[in-house]
Amino acid sequence: MKIVVIGGTGLIGSQVVVRLKALGHEVVAASPNTGVNAVTGEGLAQALKGAGVVVDLANSPSFEDAAAMDFFVRAGRNLASAEKAAGVAHHVALSVVGTERLLDSGYFRAKLAQEELIASSQVPWTLVRATQFFEFVGAIAGAATVDGVTRATSAAIQPIASADVAAKVAEAALAEPRNGMIEIAGPERMPLVELVKRYFDGVGDTRDVVTDDSAAYFGVVIDDRSLTPEGDAWLSEKRFEDWLSAQPKRAA
């Protein structure tokens, strides 16, 4: 089967491509640097010709409100149109656990708009909502650091390894469309401030970490429900400490 992975050269996309190719499928890793741009529509019709499944893993390069909305809405409309023209049977997209609870952020308003476009596109679909990736904990800590002090909330987070996300996305691509959502998360729920402390300890970062429940998560003040799954989510097995032990340490 031909499967087109939009954003197929990114963190998740590249892993999904490898997994699907290993199973014997014809996989197109589509991204602007391979001549396929979902936002402008460039190369979409040719890339989707003969495809049975499209996996959308593209992410906005900007978190600015208007730019993120423009990215996801234009890409969503272009993909829906191209998929219908090509007779694509299944659209799979990656989104974020808690999107509808994070709407103080323009980025998450844009992600919700993307989800709504997918659900109304008339192309059979599956949405995989994941919690934050282990690989982005350093960026979370960096965004929370001012003048050498990192302030993080005690609200809960339940991060997951990107490899486990890729595995579930690939699995969804080969399954029947759900016309609904799957939520996935890591095995451990912990305060965000504890996650940051564990990360710093693991990589040898000596920055001070302070618990501050007014500290924002990328501009949004969160609670225990904001970033964690509700109901019957699929939980991975890989723990944060296992991933962290394989990361390079900072030079002394």
Side-chain angles (χ1 to χ4, degrees), residues 71-83:
F71 179 93
F72 286 117
V73 169
R74 289 176 65 194
R77 288 174 177 166
N78 285 336
L79 281 168
S81 177
E83 286 169 358

Side-chain angles (χ1 to χ4, degrees), residues 151-213:
R151 299 182 180 276
T153 178
S154 63
I157 191 168
Q158 196 166 336
I160 186 171
S162 68
D164 292 327
V165 176
K168 293 303 286 185
V169 169
E171 180 182 296
L174 300 178
E176 291 297 314
R178 288 179 174 240
N179 293 318
M181 182 191 308
I182 305 166
E183 287 200 330
I184 65 175
E188 301 174 278
R189 186 174 298 204
M190 69 189 82
L192 178 56
V193 67
E194 179 184 335
L195 178 67
V196 172
K197 287 178 179 177
R198 287 193 195 181
Y199 176 76
F200 280 174
D201 287 346
V203 300
D205 194 312
T206 59
R207 276 180 282 180
D208 291 329
V209 182
V210 175
T211 302
D212 181 354
D213 287 342

Side-chain angles (χ1 to χ4, degrees), residues 13 18 37 69 71 97 102 110 112 114-115 138 172 196 218 225-226 231:
V18 168
N37 190 320
M69 184 65 75
F71 179 93
V97 164
L102 298 165
L112 187 62
Q114 178 196 29
E115 293 183 1
V196 172
F218 294 110
R225 294 180 59 248
S226 301

Side-chain angles (χ1 to χ4, degrees), residues 219-231:
V220 182
V221 176
I222 62 173
D223 60 26
D224 284 343
R225 294 180 59 248
S226 301
L227 302 175
T228 54
E230 295 183 324

